[in-house]
Amino acid sequence: MNRTDPTVSGDRWIRRGTGAAVLLVAAIAAVISFQHIQHLALTHGQTPLAAALLPLSIDGTVAAASLVMLRAARGGFDTPWLARSMLALAVVATLAANIGYGLPYGIPGALLSGWPAVAFIGCAEMAILMVRRHRPAVPAAVPAARVPGVQRIKAEVGVGQDKARRVQKLIRASSNGNGSHG
């Protein structure tokens, strides 16, 4: 990889800018969502400590489940059912709490109050997708006779069948001069 290549440099700035934008929106949305859930909890019989911790448990579950799913994807493993289930429950909980906060103000209030939850979840998932879709580096050229089999890739790299096939395909494309290293 040539550091002076403008394509590489441009891609780096795009990744950094995208990452910064996603993190900024996620942070803003998380703070607003936190306030909505905390206020809703306080006005519905929760102690101040419980009201402060409840939003963290909901948004933290979104983050934890997403990271478990990312780890599984990067390792070539099936996504754990518990991670999917907890993500779905946390998404429903944060949407319900944020919409419930704005409901006394009618449909516009519910929609406005629900937006931070949507923005936080969307930005968290976009950040994870950026990491998940990052392609591993492939050698510049591998003679066709030296392309390892899928079983060997699975065993040596410790990935699943699908990921091993993708790696093998990338190696073959690279050995033919058709591969991209992006």
Side-chain angles (χ1 to χ4, degrees), residues 48-174:
L49 178 60
L53 294 176
L54 187 61
L56 297 175
S57 73
I58 294 171
D59 291 342
T61 300
V62 170
S66 296
L67 289 170
V68 167
M69 292 169 67
L70 171 64
R71 173 69 180 107
R74 292 196 62 164
F77 306 112
D78 291 334
T79 301
W81 69 268
L82 185 57
R84 285 187 196 273
S85 300
M86 292 307 295
L87 179 61
L89 286 171
V91 166
V92 168
T94 194
L95 281 171
N98 278 277
I99 290 170
Y101 174 85
L103 210 49
Y105 304 100
I107 298 294
L111 292 174
L112 286 171
S113 294
W115 174 250
V118 173
F120 173 76
I121 293 162
C123 285
E125 288 304 311
M126 282 190 288
I128 297 225
L129 281 173
M130 284 178 61
V131 174
R132 181 183 295 164
R133 290 185 178 164
H134 180 73
R135 287 181 150 181
V138 178
V142 176
R146 296 190 62 213
V147 174
V150 171
Q151 295 305 319
R152 183 172 170 199
I153 294 171
K154 282 176 58 177
E156 289 184 12
V157 180
V159 296
Q161 185 82 16
D162 290 339
K163 188 160 274 191
R165 281 191 188 123
R166 283 185 274 165
V167 169
Q168 185 185 49
K169 190 175 182 179
L170 285 170
I171 293 170
R172 277 198 182 113
S174 175

